[in-house]
Amino acid sequence: MADKRSRRISTFGSRITSLVSVALVLILLGLASLMGLAGKNLTDDVRRNLGFIVKMERDCPDAAINTVKQALLASPSVERLTFSSADDIMEQESQYLGEEIGALLDANPYSAEFDVKVRPAYATPDSIEAAVEFFSSMAGVDEIVTESAVIEGVDSTLRRLGAVLLIVAAILLAVSVALINNTISLSIYARRFVIHTMKLVGATGGFIRRPFLRAGALNGVVAGVGASAFLVLARIYAASLDPMLAQALPWTWTAAVCVALVMLGAAICVLTAAFATNRYLRASYDEMFLK
């Protein structure tokens, strides 16, 4: 009676250990995913602030300005634009200098311009250069000003950052699969003689495998739910520290990561349980002591 109770406690303890181990691994993977998504959102925000300024010729007719405006709005690379007339620019400069420029000059020395911001997908040196070349040829355009050095620097930095995050994510996924595999395999290893006994009484492979697969799926789902709850609390806490994190990581993305963790946890645990169970289904009694 005491031996049966101790075995029951030992089995329960191994299941709890397996559950906690899987949950911790999923938390690590979930945190990496959230950081990657937040980084992507912040990267897109940086790219949205890149663009160029289209300066129109002085005394350019309104028809030419409207033509350029419609072309900019129709361009797939343009995210948004701001138009400033010559009078608007003179007023801004007067406010900046603290002196009325118009009273000192006979004519307005400024010209109308468009401040153009491109979409994140087009915020690369080649794409912006292509857009500049196209709009430069339009009637009424005097020049187009770009910050080439800034654009190239930002693009290079963001590309390196994306490559580093991708490598880290791949490493974490490989480590997560390996750790979950070892955890589930050790749990089934503790019950390898139960599998052998069921084989001796004539149980089929599917019958023996089924409860281990169900247990693996349940462990994966419970671990995924636990990891998701931790991530939700971490997201709430992080957003309370910095509101920008709430904008960089919306709840829809957090929910998607949580659902993915539950599904991934269940899938990895079921596959690992299937491989481990099949290993002991094929093993002989003597091999049970060697594995």
Side-chain angles (χ1 to χ4, degrees), residues 75-252:
S75 174
S77 63
V78 176
E79 173 82 12
R80 64 187 185 276
L81 60 87
T82 302
F83 174 73
S84 299
S85 65
D87 293 335
D88 294 334
I89 297 175
M90 176 179 281
E91 183 179 352
Q92 293 172 6
E93 292 294 329
S94 298
Q95 292 177 356
Y96 177 74
L97 296 174
E99 187 175 358
E100 185 62 38
I101 299 178
L104 304 176
L105 302 174
D106 296 332
N108 191 337
Y110 300 101
S111 60
E113 65 182 35
F114 293 94
D115 186 3
V116 182
K117 304 300 181 185
V118 300
R119 300 182 187 276
Y122 293 87
T124 61
D126 292 340
S127 298
I128 292 180
E129 186 64 29
V132 168
E133 183 178 354
F134 173 78
F135 292 112
S136 296
S137 62
M138 298 190 67
V141 176
D142 183 29
E143 65 172 331
I144 297 182
V145 179
T146 62
E147 298 178 341
S148 301
V150 174
I151 294 172
E152 292 178 0
V154 169
D155 183 69
S156 176
T157 300
L158 293 180
R159 286 182 182 275
R160 287 198 298 268
L161 181 60
V164 170
L165 289 176
L166 185 61
I167 293 173
V168 170
I171 292 175
L172 285 177
L173 182 59
V175 171
S176 300
V177 172
L179 289 177
I180 293 176
N181 176 67
N182 289 337
T183 301
I184 301 299
S185 297
L186 287 175
S187 177
I188 295 179
Y189 173 80
R191 288 174 283 174
R192 65 194 186 283
F193 290 108
V194 176
I195 295 175
H196 185 74
T197 302
M198 295 175 70
K199 284 171 52 181
L200 292 179
V201 298
T204 62
F207 181 83
I208 298 173
R209 196 182 298 111
R210 196 174 300 119
F212 291 99
L213 298 184
R214 281 201 300 263
L218 181 60
N219 284 345
V221 170
V222 173
V225 170
S228 299
F230 178 87
L231 292 180
V232 169
L233 294 176
R235 194 270 184 195
I236 294 174
Y237 177 72
S240 66
L241 295 178
D242 189 352
M244 288 188 61
L245 291 175
Q247 299 178 0
L249 195 61
W251 278 112
T252 52

Side-chain angles (χ1 to χ4, degrees), residues 61-80:
D62 292 340
I65 293 177
N66 289 330
T67 300
V68 173
K69 181 178 181 180
Q70 294 303 319
L72 288 170
L73 292 174
S75 174
S77 63
V78 176
E79 173 82 12
R80 64 187 185 276

Side-chain angles (χ1 to χ4, degrees), residues 15-39:
R15 289 180 178 177
I16 293 297
T17 302
S18 173
L19 185 64
V20 172
S21 300
V22 173
L24 290 176
V25 172
L26 292 178
I27 287 173
L28 182 63
L29 189 60
L31 287 175
S33 300
L34 292 181
M35 290 175 60
L37 291 174

